[in-house]
Amino acid sequence: EAEVYFFGVVPETSSLFLSTVSPVATTHVQSGPGPVLVKPSGALKTCRSTVRPASSAIRPGGERDLYMDQKRVYELILDYNFKAEEDGNLTLQAWLLNDRLYESIFESQLLQVYDSNKKLVAAMDAWPTPTKFKKGDYVARLQVRHDDVALLERLKHLPLGIDKPLAREIPVKAYGSYSQALTGGADFVQSQPGGVRTALFFAVPFDEKVDAKPGDVLLGTVSYGEPVPKAAGKHSRGGFTVQYAVCAGKPEDKKPDEPKDEDPRTDADKLKDALRDVQVKHLE
């Protein structure tokens, strides 16, 4: 007979939230009954943008869309316009309806995507997966069904999320104090005995030029110990989560101002002198 104990670093929160105006987040971690190495690391990997429906309509179902008590089923149709800036994978999802099947209060949901030629290119349900899109304009059509029209009316402005991988991962580093997080000091690495509670300060570099527009959210994962866990499948956590809300656009590099003309002459004098120079050159 043997007893096996598992212990490690446990954070007090499963998610970190940062933003452009508040790029430092504080959390506490506690070690298990034995000594552990606290070595936090994290990265933002996905950019999530949202779009509102361009049109919405509620209509009754067909002759077969009836319950046993003859109650009519209605459907809500939402159309979203979006553009794929380049070839690559996108994940389209309605977060309010995701990850629910039998426990969902709505009868069903279906999301179909059409290209500019009205060709069906993708279809997904409550568990969306990344889909490869070519560069171009698309229309996503979401169908939600229920017998209560009032409930469908509440979803007429439901936003659609579009996730795309970042071209380059953005590091989220941990520090031992708020001052170190502001100045970009040494990364936090510490070996501590069991039962010790430690404060960590996570930050995104202030000079990081985030390739996202205001309103987007950057998503990623954070781990607190070593080794860093790797995702074993699409449903694996792969670490705790971190979100970074983009409240302002990336800073633009200002072009140097052109030197001002310090010539004291007026425009009329400049024109007169230019005519004189042409006449003199013609006489030569």
Side-chain angles (χ1 to χ4, degrees):
E1 183 176 340
E3 293 183 354
V4 180
Y5 295 92
F6 296 92
F7 60 89
V9 184
V10 181
E12 67 179 6
T13 179
S14 60
S15 298
L16 294 175
F17 297 94
L18 302 94
S19 68
T20 309
V21 296
S22 181
V24 179
T26 308
T27 187
H28 290 81
V29 296
Q30 184 166 348
S31 55
V36 294
L37 178 64
V38 182
K39 189 177 180 181
S41 62
L44 300 170
K45 307 174 183 179
T46 304
C47 177
R48 172 174 292 174
S49 58
T50 56
V51 292
R52 291 285 186 181
S55 64
S56 62
I58 298 177
R59 59 195 183 195
E63 297 179 356
R64 301 178 59 183
D65 295 320
L66 297 172
Y67 287 115
M68 297 297 294
D69 56 359
Q70 300 302 306
K71 184 179 291 186
R72 175 71 64 182
V73 177
Y74 295 85
E75 64 177 6
L76 168 66
I77 303 296
L78 301 174
D79 287 344
Y80 303 85
N81 300 324
F82 70 96
K83 183 176 183 179
E85 300 294 341
E86 58 185 13
D87 296 354
N89 290 330
L90 299 177
T91 304
L92 279 63
Q93 49 190 326
W95 307 300
L96 192 63
L97 308 175
N98 280 358
D99 301 331
R100 290 173 177 83
L101 183 59
Y102 301 112
E103 68 273 22
S104 175
I105 63 173
F106 296 97
E107 179 186 308
S108 64
Q109 69 178 83
L110 177 64
L111 181 65
Q112 296 178 316
V113 184
Y114 300 86
D115 62 12
S116 57
N117 297 319
K118 298 184 179 181
K119 176 185 176 182
L120 178 65
V121 295
M124 54 204 74
D125 54 11
W127 286 272
T129 56
T131 304
K132 190 170 185 179
F133 290 92
K134 295 182 178 180
K135 181 179 179 180
D137 296 322
Y138 294 88
V139 175
R141 174 165 294 179
L142 176 64
Q143 179 201 54
V144 184
R145 291 160 55 95
H146 200 275
D147 59 85
D148 189 349
V149 177
L151 281 179
L152 296 179
E153 287 280 355
R154 299 182 63 181
L155 300 181
K156 291 182 67 174
H157 303 288
L158 179 70
L160 181 72
I162 303 176
D163 293 0
K164 67 176 181 179
L166 290 174
R168 179 181 59 85
E169 294 185 0
I170 300 175
V172 180
K173 297 183 178 182
Y175 303 92
S177 67
Y178 186 82
S179 298
Q180 289 181 342
L182 292 179
T183 59
D187 296 353
F188 185 92
V189 179
Q190 176 177 296
S191 179
Q192 64 184 37
V196 175
R197 189 168 180 261
T198 304
L200 296 176
F201 299 83
F202 286 86
V204 174
F206 299 148
D207 56 350
E208 186 72 40
K209 293 185 178 181
V210 180
D211 188 16
K213 62 181 183 297
D216 291 349
V217 179
L218 306 184
L219 309 174
T221 56
V222 173
S223 62
Y224 295 89
E226 195 178 33
V228 178
K230 295 183 178 180
K234 64 180 181 179
H235 296 297
S236 175
R237 289 185 59 87
F240 298 91
T241 60
V242 57
Q243 297 186 18
Y244 181 90
V246 181
C247 306
K250 59 182 179 180
E252 298 181 357
D253 296 330
K254 293 185 176 179
K255 296 181 180 179
D257 296 334
E258 296 182 358
K260 295 182 178 180
D261 188 3
E262 298 180 355
D263 193 340
R265 297 178 299 171
T266 63
D267 292 341
D269 292 338
K270 292 179 181 179
L271 178 60
K272 182 178 179 181
D273 293 343
L275 292 174
R276 180 202 60 196
D277 295 340
V278 171
Q279 292 173 352
V280 171
K281 187 175 182 179
H282 178 71
L283 294 175
E284 291 177 354

